[in-house]
């Protein structure tokens, strides 16, 4: 299946106005990933909307512009056609049709190919709730916190960056890539929502940069198209590729 990389400008003022009108902004939390998930699903359709995607909002917001990146099976022309049919006028201002661009990603990758990358991840692990012996109801926990709790106070030797690197390495290895090196570019704890007017949950938000090597071209193509880890429909897990550093 063809994978297209999508890029578009985000009109931040219109984005916040629309999210506020839908009850997505409160004193406690605003989750731009959830808001964008709702926006692109309504504007392009659930099957057509890019996933995974990445919302980049600059710290300096004077320009009023952010950037949207995503991977999709459709191209920019198809997204514009969908938006003409389904997006309301305000939604059309948030991701202006004239700013939507696309390019076709490589159809094949080489075993041993080295690639640089950046990815926004939510490095969580899942545990069965204490009250659920069957393990049907799961809770998410920060991977670093989960490991720290297995040590006595003060005996946790590994850093957050090391834990997250191993978390990422494990998930890449399952999907056709070997992590060569990675660093933690940024970290913060953020509150996210997954349902309108639902209670927000706090968790890790980490940007990792590094270099990987393709070990299984078919699996890696699927990894690029579908993303890394959980919460991929909400702005996490998109691999932004770049030349590998020597």
């Amino acid at each position: 299946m063809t994978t297209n990389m999508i890029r578009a400008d985000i009109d931040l003022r219109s984005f916040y106005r629309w999210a506020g009108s839908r009850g997505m902004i409160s004193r406690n939390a605003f989750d731009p990933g959830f808001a964008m998930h709702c926006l692109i699903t309504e504007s392009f359709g659930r099957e057509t909307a890019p996933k995974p995607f990445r919302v980049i909002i600059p710290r300096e917001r004077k320009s009023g512009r952010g950037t949207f990146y995503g991977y999709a099976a459709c191209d920019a022309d198809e997204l514009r056609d969908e938006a003409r049919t389904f997006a309301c006028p305000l939604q059309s201002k948030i991701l202006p049709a004239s700013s939507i661009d696309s390019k076709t990603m490589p159809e094949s990758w080489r075993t041993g190919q080295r690639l640089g990358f950046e990815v926004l991840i939510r490095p969580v692990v899942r545990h069965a709730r204490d009250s659920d012996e069957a393990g049907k109801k799961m809770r998410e926990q920060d991977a670093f916190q989960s490991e720290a709790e297995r040590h006595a106070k003060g005996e946790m030797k590994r850093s957050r960056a090391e834990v997250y690197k191993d978390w990422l390495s494990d998930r890449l290895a399952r999907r056709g890539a070997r992590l060569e090196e990675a660093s933690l570019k940024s970290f913060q704890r953020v509150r996210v929502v997954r349902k309108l007017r639902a209670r927000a949950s706090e968790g890790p938000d980490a940007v990792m940069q590094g270099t990987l090597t393709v070990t299984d071209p078919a699996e890696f193509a699927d990894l690029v198209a579908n993303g890394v880890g959980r919460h991929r429909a909400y702005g996490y897990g998109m691999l932004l590729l770049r030349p590998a550093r020597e």
Side-chain angles (χ1 to χ4, degrees):
M1 181 181 294
T2 300
T3 298
N4 294 288
M5 184 178 188
I6 309 297
R7 183 205 176 280
D9 292 334
I10 304 171
D11 183 317
L12 294 177
R13 179 173 296 181
S14 297
F15 186 38
Y16 298 141
R17 178 184 168 196
W18 173 80
S21 72
R22 298 290 296 273
M24 297 179 185
I25 298 178
S26 68
R27 292 182 179 180
N28 294 326
F30 169 56
D31 181 354
F34 173 73
M36 185 58 70
H37 164 80
C38 295
L39 174 73
I40 62 177
T41 299
E42 294 178 17
S43 297
F44 305 129
R46 187 172 298 276
E47 298 301 320
T48 310
K51 184 185 77 172
F53 66 83
R54 176 90 176 267
V55 173
I56 298 179
I57 298 176
R59 291 184 179 180
E60 182 58 56
R61 301 184 184 183
K62 290 183 179 180
S63 67
R65 294 283 177 181
T67 308
F68 174 91
Y69 293 104
Y71 289 129
C74 60
D75 61 17
D77 288 336
E78 292 173 275
L79 289 177
R80 294 189 197 102
D81 287 342
E82 295 295 306
R84 289 191 195 99
T85 303
F86 301 116
C88 76
L90 181 54
Q91 289 172 331
S92 294
K93 288 184 179 180
I94 298 169
L95 296 176
S98 61
S99 77
I100 301 176
D101 294 312
S102 65
K103 72 163 190 176
T104 302
M105 295 295 288
E107 294 186 2
S108 61
W109 305 89
R110 303 188 312 275
T111 300
Q113 185 174 2
R114 296 179 71 250
L115 299 165
F117 71 89
E118 178 179 299
V119 61
L120 171 65
I121 55 174
R122 191 165 176 86
V124 294
V125 293
R126 304 184 79 200
H127 302 290
R129 296 184 184 275
D130 295 338
S131 60
D132 182 31
E133 295 181 359
K136 294 182 180 179
K137 295 183 179 179
M138 308 294 285
R139 65 182 178 90
E140 288 188 346
Q141 186 179 30
D142 184 331
F144 176 75
Q145 181 181 352
S146 178
E147 181 170 332
E149 289 179 356
R150 298 197 296 269
H151 296 76
K153 186 175 181 180
E155 292 187 3
M156 175 68 172
K157 304 300 182 184
R158 299 211 306 157
S159 68
R160 186 179 296 274
E162 291 172 323
V163 173
Y164 289 173
K165 179 180 177 180
D166 284 351
W167 182 95
L168 180 59
S169 178
D170 178 64
R171 281 147 185 80
L172 292 178
R174 300 176 194 175
R175 306 292 299 282
R178 181 176 64 250
L179 183 64
E180 302 295 350
E181 56 91 16
S183 61
L184 181 61
K185 179 183 177 182
S186 66
F187 164 78
Q188 59 181 330
R189 293 190 65 81
V190 299
R191 297 175 64 82
V192 300
V193 294
R194 293 296 172 257
K195 189 176 181 181
L196 191 61
R197 297 183 179 84
R199 179 180 298 178
S201 61
E202 186 176 286
D205 183 291
V207 175
M208 303 288 291
Q209 292 181 334
T211 304
L212 59 81
T213 297
V214 177
T215 57
D216 184 321
E219 282 290 329
F220 183 72
D222 187 69
L223 172 69
V224 171
N226 292 289
V228 181
R230 295 178 57 78
H231 301 269
R232 298 186 302 275
Y234 302 96
Y236 292 92
M238 181 185 183
L239 282 172
L240 294 170
L241 302 175
R242 58 186 59 175
R245 293 182 297 182
E246 295 299 329

